[in-house]
Amino acid sequence: TTIAGSKLDYPRFESVQIIFNEINIGAKFIRSLHGCEITNYGDDIIIYRQFGRVKPQSVRLIAGKAEKWDQRFYCQLIEKINIDDIYIAEIFAHEYKEIADKVTTNLAKKILFTLPAVKKSDKILAIPHLKYYDEYEGFSADLIKISFAPAHISELVEPVMI
């Protein structure tokens, strides 16, 4: 599994070699590789999930049960709360627009929209990676744990819940 792309096989060496060459010569680039977009920003290399034809499926959260979303994140509702039908899903632009003034981030929208959001009826209750929590009907940070745990490294590294 690629860490960001959530694919279950490996990219071809030739594809990786092209990107390494561009990095080495210092060229400005944006490349697609195995479900990821890779770009350089100053001295940094940024790799993020590329959503193509296959979008991640929403996952309903049940108290006490860890669920995997998009082959990259473990999500767990810590305790039963009085909000029905809570789920993890991608962030859409129209939903983010409603809360943008309450979120502090310098992430590009392309990257932001690859993070998981806790939702109820298409209303964003939380974006834990941005420390955004809507106090809607008592929802708070201590009710959800989310960790980045892609399949191929989760066996080697214990997932860290936030």
Side-chain angles (χ1 to χ4, degrees), residues 38-132:
I38 303 171
T39 187
N40 54 349
Y41 184 77
D43 291 336
D44 297 324
I45 304 297
I46 300 171
I47 303 171
Y48 54 95
R49 170 84 154 89
Q50 178 185 36
F51 289 142
R53 292 182 302 264
V54 179
K55 300 279 187 179
Q57 297 296 311
S58 298
V59 176
R60 187 165 182 256
L61 293 177
I62 298 168
K65 183 178 179 192
E67 298 285 353
K68 195 160 194 182
W69 180 76
D70 195 33
Q71 300 296 321
R72 301 176 299 142
F73 295 94
Y74 277 106
C75 311
Q76 182 177 2
L77 192 59
I78 301 304
E79 60 185 65
K80 185 163 176 53
I81 57 176
N82 293 326
I83 305 173
D84 293 329
D85 298 324
I86 294 178
Y87 59 96
I88 296 289
E90 67 182 295
I91 302 167
F92 293 105
H94 69 277
E95 296 167 336
Y96 181 73
K97 191 175 184 180
E98 292 178 22
I99 64 165
D101 60 328
K102 301 174 192 165
V103 177
T104 304
T105 183
N106 60 356
L107 288 177
K109 298 263 188 315
K110 279 183 157 184
I111 299 169
L112 174 81
F113 294 157
T114 70
L115 296 175
V118 179
K119 298 181 181 182
K120 175 191 170 48
S121 303
D122 295 329
K123 175 181 175 36
I124 296 176
L125 298 179
I127 307 172
H129 290 87
L130 301 181
K131 297 186 179 6
Y132 168 77

Side-chain angles (χ1 to χ4, degrees), residues 133-152:
Y133 298 93
D134 186 338
E135 299 296 324
Y136 174 81
E137 294 186 34
F139 194 84
S140 63
D142 58 339
L143 295 176
I144 188 84
K145 300 258 185 224
I146 295 186
S147 66
F148 180 66
H152 82 286

